[in-house]
Amino acid sequence: MIPMKRVVLSLAALAAVAGSFACVNVFDPIDNPHGEGQLLSAARAAFDKGDVATARELYGKVGTETSTAELAFVDLDSCGADIGAFASALSKASDNASQSGIMLTVMAEHMNRQVSAACFATLLSSYKTARTITDASLRGFTSFLAAIAIAGEVLASNNGISADGILQQADLYGTPSTCVASCAGCAKADGISGAAAVDLSSAGTITATWGTLQGAISAANTAIGELGISTGPSQNLITALNAANPTDAGGLYRCALAQIGVGR
């Protein structure tokens, strides 16, 4: 027979162990990441899913210059590139990785109502503010958003989008059906002109040209590298346009946009 005292002690010990598990969340590293490694991993995961608000919070915990980043975010928001716009753009691209250009379509549609020379200046300033952040992750995240907003602002300047607020393929390409397949019939006058790629870091002003959009893609590429991201819709977009020629000779730049799904 087992002594009653031992049974009582065993039950007490079991209760203590059970109580300790009741107080500990074994998923705590996932639910509440802490430490730079966990924070960065969780931030990248949120970013990939299009959860920009969570990514913004987590990158802010890693970097010490959150006030500088927030200043850049305020500027982006004032021109229609708010967290909701980015979340929608990234999640749409995540849903269809082969058509990563939808990211730019969504940004353009969100930003169309406020498109202006003043917003081009504001967005460029936001990008330059982001580049002053010393923490690589926070700098990369903030400057990526600023760069994508600049690309969105270029497309938002399209003459056709303002009529209904939707960026259609026909707003961008002369003959969408043939343009996607063969690059024939892509040239179109829509208020966006061809130009050499712009270096956003040194540019004094930017306007609605393919050179500005290409400069934004180049800037986003640098930012993605700082984030340590090498896969996903953001990287697909950059890879697809990285070697494109923004001088738009014969509509070739528009063709590159068509082939990655820019325009509905």
Side-chain angles (χ1 to χ4, degrees):
M1 178 179 292
I2 300 173
M4 182 59 66
K5 184 176 181 180
R6 184 180 298 176
V7 172
V8 172
L9 288 173
S10 297
L11 290 173
L14 182 61
V17 172
S20 67
F21 276 115
C23 296
V24 175
N25 177 6
V26 295
F27 298 105
D28 187 63
I30 299 172
D31 296 337
N32 300 292
H34 53 274
E36 184 172 318
Q38 288 184 8
L39 286 167
L40 287 176
S41 179
R44 290 188 192 111
F47 181 87
D48 283 342
K49 291 188 298 183
D51 187 354
V52 184
T54 298
R56 174 178 175 175
E57 178 185 355
L58 293 171
Y59 280 123
K61 290 180 179 179
V62 175
T64 59
E65 299 151 289
T66 53
S67 61
T68 302
E70 289 300 322
L71 179 62
F73 293 140
V74 168
D75 285 344
L76 295 177
D77 188 271
S78 71
C79 289
D82 54 32
I83 289 299
F86 287 115
S88 179
L90 286 168
S91 62
K92 289 287 187 184
S94 296
D95 291 341
N96 193 349
S98 65
Q99 296 289 292
S100 55
I102 188 64
M103 185 187 305
L104 299 185
T105 302
V106 173
M107 288 304 300
E109 291 172 350
H110 273 274
M111 300 176 72
N112 174 251
R113 290 184 180 180
Q114 289 140 291
V115 68
S116 65
C119 268
F120 271 115
T122 296
L123 295 171
L124 180 60
S125 174
S126 179
Y127 175 77
K128 290 184 176 182
T129 296
R131 298 311 297 168
T132 66
I133 298 172
T134 56
D135 178 84
S137 296
L138 186 58
R139 180 178 65 242
F141 175 68
T142 309
S143 56
F144 174 83
L145 296 187
I148 293 300
I150 289 171
E153 184 79 353
V154 171
L155 288 173
S157 304
N158 177 282
N159 290 338
I161 189 176
S162 60
D164 57 8
I166 299 174
L167 184 62
Q168 304 284 1
Q169 290 182 345
D171 295 330
L172 281 165
Y173 326 122
T175 310
S177 57
T178 57
C179 178
V180 175
S182 66
C183 294
C186 288
K188 182 165 186 171
D190 64 353
I192 305 173
S193 58
V198 173
D199 182 348
L200 297 184
S201 295
S202 59
T205 59
I206 53 175
T207 56
T209 69
W210 297 128
T212 297
L213 193 150
Q214 188 66 14
I217 293 299
S218 178
N221 189 33
T222 298
I224 284 288
E226 291 171 334
L227 290 173
I229 293 174
S230 57
T231 60
S234 300
Q235 185 61 60
N236 291 345
L237 173 68
I238 291 166
T239 300
L241 289 179
N242 214 23
N245 178 5
T247 56
D248 200 33
L252 295 180
Y253 197 83
R254 295 171 189 273
C255 182
L257 296 178
Q259 290 173 342
I260 60 171
V262 177
R264 296 186 188 274

